[in-house]
Amino acid sequence: MLGVKSLLPRAGLAAAPESKNVLRVGVVAGALGNLKLIRVVGELFPEVVFENIAKDWLRQPLGDYAAVIVPVAWDCPDSISSAIERMARPSSTRIIVVFDGVDVATTHRLVRAGAVDVLTAPVTESALVVCLERLSGDVQNNPAQESGEIVAILKSGGGVGATTLACQCAAVIASRGGYRVCLADLDVQCGDAAVQLDLPRSASIADLLALGGNLEETQFQEVLGAHGSGLRLLAAPQDIMGLESISTQQIENLLSGLRRDFQLTLVDLPPAWTSWTTSVLNRADRIVLVTGLTVPHIQRAKRQLATLASLNLENASVLLACNQVGSEQQSSLSQKAAERALGRSIDIMIPEDRRVMTSASNQGLEVRQVKRGGKLDSALGVLADLIVDRSQGVIARRGAA
């Protein structure tokens, strides 16, 4: 990303990025036409830092920005639909659409979907000034409380290694830097992320509920244990906790607080459907469904996908990962046969390497610290890329390496 000094090398506009009064505004390349407009308008708004963001803004975490300015093409229905789908995700980042058409119906659709403003292309100086004035006032009167993204980890059944994958991928993402990452182990009856990450004293949801008060107000960065990779862990309770002892409202408050404090939170769910687990799935930006390459696991995964479809959460929002895949499984059930049974593709196959994975889990380490560069290490890196929803080009290059 390019800060204001790079984007506007001669303007000398913005306050220091660490200032609490700075408003970071991401601008998709080409949305505002040229840098001259930004320079001129930027002089009127010294509190605004303009930064370039990639054209694939639909696939990026946007939590660090007060707003993003994005182009939408009137003659491209997919562009409109994708923008509307992205705006439907829970986020405090304001979306300002630059629309190169005069279709009133489409403009109304964009506004109803969540666009805080729809500017006609090419954007004029006066239109951008009015938009930024409105944005500044809105942010001051309604400060952002949620920004990070939630990724729900859903199991097709017991024994698929979903918690292990969640621990490893959260650690991979955190160790790369650039993300404040949390793993919330909400498998309150069988969760063992604290054991796998060697964080036995990290606070659990039971601990937080016992303190009373609103979970949304918890300062998670201060109370959660920190792993060597940098990730923070909300552990499962040490004692078995009834699923019904957690309310949907408590979970929604929890997610709001986690969104505020972390750019990315992986939520490991129990293998049971409850009102509050359904709430997590509804509020998640993405869902990772973990299964195994056996007939029983594939059938259970199919049932999970059918349930997600009934909640309108299927297709693009669901990533399907097949874990612990060895030569024996592949010889008895091919990936193509599994995909035919599921009615969709498997996004990633994680190879089985019990020795390395067990060693990493027993020591609270990342797989790469046990065996760097192996097939398992590489696959975990690709899965981490998919979880943060990076571009397909990055994924392809990593896979080819």
Side-chain angles (χ1 to χ4, degrees):
M1 295 180 183
L2 300 178
V4 66
K5 291 182 180 179
S6 299
L7 188 59
L8 307 175
R10 294 184 296 277
L13 301 177
E18 59 271 14
S19 169
K20 292 183 179 179
N21 295 322
V22 164
L23 296 181
R24 296 179 63 197
V25 176
V27 182
V28 174
L32 293 179
N34 57 68
L35 294 181
K36 181 179 178 181
L37 174 63
I38 301 178
R39 292 193 185 100
V40 171
V41 174
E43 292 178 355
L44 302 174
F45 296 90
E47 75 278 13
V48 174
V49 175
F50 294 97
E51 299 183 16
N52 270 335
I53 60 175
K55 290 185 177 181
D56 65 341
W57 69 276
L58 294 163
R59 304 174 61 82
Q60 296 184 61
L62 303 176
D64 277 354
Y65 297 103
V68 293
I69 303 176
V70 303
V72 171
W74 72 271
D75 58 349
C76 181
D78 288 344
S79 170
I80 297 169
S81 298
S82 296
I84 289 173
E85 179 182 343
R86 183 63 177 87
M87 287 187 288
R89 300 182 189 176
S91 176
S92 63
T93 300
R94 284 79 170 173
I95 307 293
I96 300 167
V97 173
V98 176
F99 186 47
D100 65 350
V102 291
D103 185 345
V104 175
T106 299
T107 299
H108 286 169
R109 283 181 65 202
L110 292 167
V111 172
R112 287 196 301 271
V116 298
D117 216 334
V118 179
L119 308 179
T120 302
V123 178
T124 64
E125 178 182 330
S126 59
L128 186 56
V129 166
V130 171
C131 176
L132 292 178
E133 285 178 342
R134 187 182 298 119
L135 173 66
S136 297
D138 184 38
V139 170
Q140 290 175 5
N141 295 327
N142 300 285
Q145 295 299 316
E146 299 182 2
S147 58
E149 296 199 333
I150 301 292
V151 175
I153 309 297
L154 182 63
K155 307 169 177 69
S156 68
V160 294
T163 299
T164 302
L165 282 187
C167 290
Q168 288 295 325
C169 288
V172 168
I173 296 166
S175 65
R176 290 173 176 173
Y179 280 90
R180 296 187 306 277
V181 180
C182 176
L183 172 59
D185 188 352
L186 296 188
D187 189 350
V188 296
Q189 296 185 334
C190 300
D192 63 357
V195 175
Q196 296 196 36
L197 294 171
D198 194 21
L199 293 172
R201 292 193 176 93
S202 190
S204 72
I205 187 172
D207 298 326
L208 300 182
L209 290 174
L211 294 174
N214 189 338
L215 289 177
E216 186 174 3
E217 299 172 357
T218 303
Q219 299 302 308
F220 292 101
Q221 287 275 18
E222 298 177 6
V223 302
L224 299 186
H227 184 255
S229 63
L231 78 86
R232 299 278 178 165
L233 174 68
L234 176 63
Q238 291 188 354
D239 298 321
I240 290 178
M241 183 178 183
L243 294 173
E244 70 285 351
S245 61
I246 303 175
S247 71
T248 299
Q249 187 59 59
Q250 288 170 332
I251 286 297
E252 290 183 353
N253 291 341
L254 172 68
L255 295 182
S256 293
L258 293 172
R259 284 187 188 276
R260 179 199 65 228
D261 287 354
F262 301 99
Q263 291 168 295
L264 182 68
T265 299
L266 276 63
V267 180
D268 190 23
L269 292 171
W273 286 83
T274 69
S275 59
W276 64 262
T277 60
T278 303
S279 180
V280 172
L281 294 168
N282 272 307
R283 296 195 64 187
D285 298 283
R286 282 178 294 287
I287 298 167
V288 180
L289 174 58
V290 182
T291 189
L293 191 62
T294 68
V295 171
H297 281 128
I298 293 301
Q299 289 301 316
R300 293 173 194 145
K302 186 174 182 179
R303 291 169 62 188
Q304 296 284 53
L305 288 169
T307 304
L308 292 172
S310 70
L311 299 172
N312 297 317
L313 292 171
E314 79 282 23
N315 298 329
S317 63
V318 180
L319 167 68
L320 182 57
C322 196
N323 193 28
Q324 301 170 338
V325 178
S327 56
E328 290 185 9
Q329 289 98 330
Q330 289 178 305
S331 63
S332 60
L333 180 64
S334 69
Q335 179 177 347
K336 288 185 177 180
E339 290 174 336
R340 283 196 301 269
L342 291 166
R344 60 156 288 169
S345 62
I346 296 171
D347 296 287
I348 183 168
M349 305 280 278
I350 308 295
E352 182 181 38
D353 194 331
R354 291 186 183 274
R355 183 188 66 80
V356 171
M357 189 67 90
T358 300
S359 179
S361 297
N362 284 345
Q363 300 176 74
L365 300 174
E366 296 177 58
V367 160
R368 67 182 179 88
Q369 294 175 295
V370 176
K371 184 178 180 181
R372 182 186 295 271
K375 291 183 178 179
L376 179 58
D377 180 31
S378 178
L380 290 171
V382 174
L383 179 56
D385 285 338
L386 289 168
I387 286 175
V388 298
D389 216 11
R390 293 187 175 183
S391 70
Q392 293 299 318
V394 171
I395 297 168
R397 288 196 298 274
R398 179 183 290 275

